Amino acid sequence: MAQLWPDIQAVLPVSETEFNLNFSEKIDLSVVDILKQARHQLYDRKATQSWIDKAQIVLDFSWEKLNTGTWRDVDKEWRRVYSYGCLFKVTALCCGELSQSKIHEAVKTCDMGLLMGASILDDVLQKLVRVLQNKAKAWQSKAKQRAEQSEEPDKKKIRKECDSTPVINPSKAVPRIHCPSLEHFRTEFLDTQRPVILEGIIDHWPAFKEHPWSIDYLRTVAGCRTVPVEVGSRYTDEAWSQTLITVSEFIDRYIVGEGSTGKGYLAQHQLFDQIPELKEDIRIPDYCCLGEGEEDDININAWFGPRGTVSPLHQDPQQNFLAQVVGRKYIRLYSPQETVKLYPHQSQLLHNTSQVDVENPDMSRFPDFLKASYEECVLQPGEVLFIPVKHWHYVRSLELSFSVSFWWS
Ligand SMILES: O=C(O)CCC(=O)C(=O)O
């Protein structure tokens, strides 16, 4: 494999003296000292193993700090230390003889830094991961060519079945409108807090045109990237958990093939920051300008999962545009006025989530649930559902699905 070092070097400070390592007094001097030794080794490039070991000591030490107490109380300085640990490990891995497993470990280390650390040296981890991904892609396409030449049949087939599609009662159907003006949307839906499906407003996204989103496309742009995924039928289940795996592993385990369980959800708010190529395929809907917040305050979330994935009935504190890119979703909406009939959980953590299983309610425990009025729809690719702030929503994927939601205020 060709040397990677010139590309790595290009995104680093040019010399050891220009590589600043400044921390507040919250960081133990012994840790700063190890970081400085690793920095020296980075520019010396001789003792690779000791350089990796130093990076690992920093990573293990700062990992403890990141996992003590609640996330919000973790000091940003420790997140910076963690990112430097990742940077030194990645550079040490990529110096000298390369192998596919080293590249994969380096990409994973960058991702851990992007997920758990804080931005350092002008987003150097983001730049490094791009360099590494290009290398990994070149490798993958060679492997693909080899597989095609040996005419290996692709055993993995996407399961095409569709979950039972509910028949929408016309009297409860969410209204639809084609490309309304900003003023019309504001007066008819935003001011009155009425849900509506907006048609024709995202057709121009590259996610439909230049780079149609598909399993293959996701594998190409993000296959080797490590991301957090939810495992389990729904987040209210006891057996539900979160784990970190690569996008390709997620696809193999939960989306395609015979052995896939269909009980995983790549539902997260960091995906588009972590993988900017995907963010370039979408656009913030113009209607968000009707909010009072800045564009930077809009939270963009990814929802990628197999058919049958369920988001239990819950409410969120912001206005939401839920944009459907791949597959269809059944969605049920209840206004905040119906809250008492929806039996929210008592606990602080789940007080925004209903205890009721919407499509299979236990009427002995939740007798008023059927009295709550609601609206419903099947959201199709290319459509955007406006979910007003605090509106309760229940979502079930009818087939493999990729949606993007924009939370705005
Ligand atoms: O699509 C889903 O599964 C859930 C979407 C959602 O809850 C949201 O956008 O707030």
Side-chain angles (χ1 to χ4, degrees):
M1 177 177 257
Q3 288 284 321
L4 200 52
W5 194 252
D7 295 341
I8 302 263
Q9 216 170 11
V11 301
L12 296 173
V14 286
S15 66
E16 191 175 342
T17 34
E18 289 188 33
F19 190 132
N20 292 321
L21 275 173
N22 298 325
F23 298 96
S24 74
E25 72 291 349
K26 286 177 192 150
I27 307 303
D28 313 39
L29 285 176
S30 56
V31 173
V32 180
D33 198 42
I34 298 174
L35 283 169
K36 285 184 178 160
Q37 291 173 37
R39 175 182 63 184
H40 179 71
Q41 287 170 319
L42 163 62
Y43 288 91
D44 189 43
R45 288 179 58 205
K46 286 193 190 117
T48 323
Q49 190 52 50
S50 134
W51 170 11
I52 292 191
D53 293 344
K54 296 221 165 52
Q56 198 58 51
I57 293 171
V58 171
L59 286 173
D60 293 344
F61 197 87
S62 49
W63 184 253
E64 284 291 319
K65 303 281 181 187
L66 264 45
N67 287 285
T68 305
T70 54
W71 180 246
R72 119 167 132 255
D73 296 328
V74 172
D75 202 295
K76 192 153 174 218
E77 284 290 271
W78 281 111
R79 295 180 55 204
R80 289 181 61 235
V81 170
Y82 185 77
S83 293
Y84 280 107
C86 292
L87 168 62
F88 291 129
K89 181 165 174 182
V90 169
T91 46
L93 282 167
C94 297
C95 166
E97 195 60 30
L98 287 173
S99 66
Q100 199 165 4
S101 67
K102 274 191 188 175
I103 297 278
H104 280 158
E105 194 177 346
V107 171
K108 183 171 181 182
T109 307
C110 282
D111 280 326
M112 291 305 292
L114 291 168
L115 290 167
M116 304 294 287
S119 173
I120 53 162
L121 301 176
D122 196 18
D123 262 341
V124 69
L125 292 177
Q126 194 65 264
K127 293 176 187 160
L128 280 174
V129 83
R130 266 187 195 235
V131 170
L132 294 166
Q133 252 191 301
N134 286 340
K135 187 54 73 186
K137 268 185 213 158
W139 204 314
Q140 266 164 10
S141 60
K142 274 197 199 126
K144 203 169 163 202
Q145 263 172 9
R146 276 199 298 272
E148 278 165 7
Q149 276 159 9
S150 64
E151 289 182 276
E152 264 277 305
D154 187 1
K155 295 191 195 77
K156 292 197 166 138
K157 292 271 175 290
I158 300 166
R159 288 172 300 153
K160 281 270 184 324
E161 317 95 276
C162 164
D163 247 26
S164 66
T165 309
V167 179
I168 304 296
N169 177 340
S171 68
K172 298 186 188 302
V174 177
R176 294 169 172 272
I177 186 161
H178 191 83
C179 292
S181 67
L182 287 176
E183 193 48 28
H184 185 75
F185 173 75
R186 189 167 65 74
T187 51
E188 293 299 314
F189 302 103
L190 182 59
D191 290 351
T192 54
Q193 292 286 279
R194 284 171 56 213
V196 63
I197 293 172
L198 302 168
E199 296 173 346
I201 69 160
I202 57 171
D203 300 349
H204 61 291
W205 283 11
F208 292 101
K209 289 188 158 18
E210 291 91 329
H211 307 135
W213 282 4
S214 66
I215 300 230
D216 279 350
Y217 178 66
L218 260 188
R219 274 198 210 273
T220 309
V221 291
C224 60
R225 307 298 301 275
T226 296
V227 292
V229 301
E230 302 180 355
V231 180
S233 296
R234 45 190 87 194
Y235 66 77
T236 41
D237 285 2
E238 293 253 318
W240 182 89
S241 65
Q242 284 171 304
T243 188
L244 288 165
I245 54 174
T246 66
V247 170
S248 276
E249 280 165 345
F250 173 75
I251 292 171
D252 289 340
R253 217 174 286 171
Y254 299 106
I255 308 268
V256 300
E258 291 306 305
S260 66
T261 64
K263 301 238 181 311
Y265 209 9
L266 201 172
Q268 59 137 317
H269 60 279
Q270 270 169 307
L271 190 75
F272 295 109
D273 290 333
Q274 202 187 338
I275 302 163
E277 289 94 328
L278 284 179
K279 195 167 185 182
E280 283 157 22
D281 290 341
I282 60 173
R283 301 283 180 265
I284 293 176
D286 291 346
Y287 303 91
C288 292
C289 75
L290 297 170
E292 279 156 16
E294 300 292 318
E295 189 165 310
D296 282 351
D297 300 331
I298 297 171
N299 284 310
I300 309 180
N301 306 292
W303 308 91
F304 174 52
R307 80 187 162 94
T309 313
V310 167
S311 286
L313 187 62
H314 69 282
Q315 54 175 190
D316 297 307
Q318 285 186 288
Q319 318 278 7
N320 184 356
F321 285 123
L322 180 61
Q324 194 59 20
V325 183
V326 176
R328 298 168 307 144
K329 278 179 165 172
Y330 170 68
I331 303 175
R332 186 84 80 82
L333 296 163
Y334 293 84
S335 91
Q337 282 83 50
E338 304 298 315
T339 300
V340 282
K341 297 178 207 143
L342 306 182
Y343 303 89
H345 282 269
Q346 302 294 313
S347 72
Q348 182 59 25
L349 196 64
L350 285 177
H351 73 278
N352 70 336
T353 305
S354 164
Q355 300 176 66
V356 185
D357 181 354
V358 168
E359 293 185 274
N360 188 18
D362 179 342
M363 294 317 298
S364 59
R365 287 180 67 206
F366 311 115
D368 288 339
F369 179 67
L370 289 189
K371 296 185 199 144
S373 59
Y374 63 86
E375 290 176 273
E376 60 181 355
C377 66
V378 171
L379 197 66
Q380 313 268 351
E383 297 179 343
V384 177
L385 174 64
F386 169 55
I387 306 177
V389 54
K390 294 259 176 169
H391 255 68
W392 293 85
H393 45 292
Y394 164 88
V395 185
R396 174 164 61 87
S397 305
L398 299 175
E399 52 224 0
L400 169 78
S401 159
F402 205 146
S403 339
V404 181
S405 65
F406 300 84
W407 289 354
W408 56 288
S409 299

